Amino acid sequence: MKSEFKEIIIKDNFYQSSSYFPMPLTLIGTLNEDGTLTSYGSYSLIFPYYIAGKQYYAMVLECRNTSNTAKGLLRHGKCTINFLPYSKKNFKQHVDNGFPGDTPEEKMKDFMFTPVDGVSQKEHPEEKYPKILDEALQVFECTWVKELDNAQNDKVQEEYDGPYHDFNGITSKYGAHFILRIDHILLKEKYYDSLINGATKHNFCPLPTNWGYRDSKDFWCSDFHKPDAVGIPNREIDLSSLRYAATRLNTDVQFTDDALKTIVKVPRPFLKLVLQGCVKWANENNVKVITEKEMKIIADKRSGEKKKK
């Protein structure tokens, strides 16, 4: 029998009070007030923000503006985002570290994971950086981009009465958003290899899912299960469409048919961007006709840039 939808009232924290919302489960490390201790808070409201076309990549974190994490970012501007494997014991530590009101010293008193220096600390030993967790499967080391939304003057306060920013820094009486530039992404070797050499259901990174929903007594999280893979549709753009797209570019650079055949599988929404990238390379290298040979050079250059990143 078909089930009908029923509309629910949208409340504060709608992702957990008015819905089930799958999210990551992380421990975010920030420095205490004098920078001598890294404490960890549990967060799931941490998502990709800048993913392409900018000078850097970034995450956005949503949190209480009086949390240890918010205070650490306002004071020091650095954090680590630690993704850990699931176990009921690990999950209990996340729940304990998500309890509001504890000081950094109280949070770390019986902490079960192992803080170690990350890449940023090793690159800049004269500075202080939050530590990463040795048991994590994946870690992002980040810096708060405080100049965005003119948030650079936000300071730690007991209460915030405004004015508030729109998307970065103190954004409401109780909330804060932090745009976090990703400085380093670190992976344990097995999952580094799966990204570089090809992921399968057997070597996929086994990260848990926080389901958002909570009631007056429980948080809910689920273990990782082997994922299913469905192949990307093998659709090709016909050569006449590629020729038409190439001729519409505002350039005197020409593409041979052999060159265009190398990009027949590029999805249509990205075709103009790819062609413009090729033209940019041609202008930088005084090339007026792009053949299959030049397309290989461009592809190799792009591949090398990705590896450097």
Side-chain angles (χ1 to χ4, degrees), residues 72-111:
L73 282 165
L74 288 170
R75 287 179 177 130
H76 305 288
K78 305 286 185 182
C79 73
T80 63
I81 306 170
N82 300 268
F83 299 78
L84 288 108
Y86 180 83
S87 72
K88 195 163 185 179
K89 186 177 180 182
N90 285 3
F91 185 41
K92 184 178 185 306
Q93 181 70 77
H94 281 80
V95 173
D96 288 345
N97 279 72
F99 192 82
D102 291 343
T103 66
E105 291 73 20
E106 289 169 337
K107 280 184 179 292
M108 296 305 294
K109 185 177 179 182
D110 297 309
F111 192 64

Side-chain angles (χ1 to χ4, degrees), residues 1-13:
M1 183 174 68
K2 184 178 178 181
S3 176
E4 298 294 330
F5 283 106
K6 294 189 69 175
E7 185 175 7
I8 195 168
I9 296 173
I10 303 174
K11 303 177 182 178
D12 286 355
N13 297 325

Side-chain angles (χ1 to χ4, degrees), residues 15-16 19-25 44-47 208-213 220 222:
Y15 66 94
Q16 60 186 22
S19 68
Y20 304 91
F21 198 79
M23 299 179 290
L25 182 67
S44 289
L45 295 175
I46 177 77
F47 308 103
T209 301
N210 175 11
W211 287 101
Y213 171 78
W220 293 76
S222 61

Side-chain angles (χ1 to χ4, degrees), residues 30-45:
T30 52
L31 294 171
N32 67 347
E33 186 168 0
D34 64 10
T36 59
L37 176 73
T38 303
S39 70
Y40 297 87
S42 300
Y43 287 93
S44 289
L45 295 175

Side-chain angles (χ1 to χ4, degrees), residues 258-300:
D258 283 342
L260 294 174
K261 286 177 183 177
T262 66
I263 56 173
V264 292
K265 293 186 179 181
V266 172
R268 287 183 185 273
F270 305 119
L271 181 58
K272 183 177 179 181
L273 185 64
V274 170
L275 289 169
Q276 288 175 331
C278 295
V279 168
K280 181 175 183 292
W281 176 89
N283 288 331
E284 290 171 350
N285 292 273
N286 297 315
V287 172
K288 293 301 180 184
V289 178
I290 297 178
T291 68
E292 184 178 7
K293 175 186 173 183
E294 282 74 31
M295 293 297 276
K296 185 177 186 311
I297 294 171
I298 295 168
D300 290 345

Side-chain angles (χ1 to χ4, degrees), residues 221-241:
C221 186
S222 61
D223 195 355
F224 173 83
H225 298 280
K226 287 183 180 179
D228 295 319
V230 177
I232 297 171
N234 188 19
R235 298 175 185 168
E236 296 185 356
I237 303 175
D238 66 88
L239 194 56
S240 60
S241 296

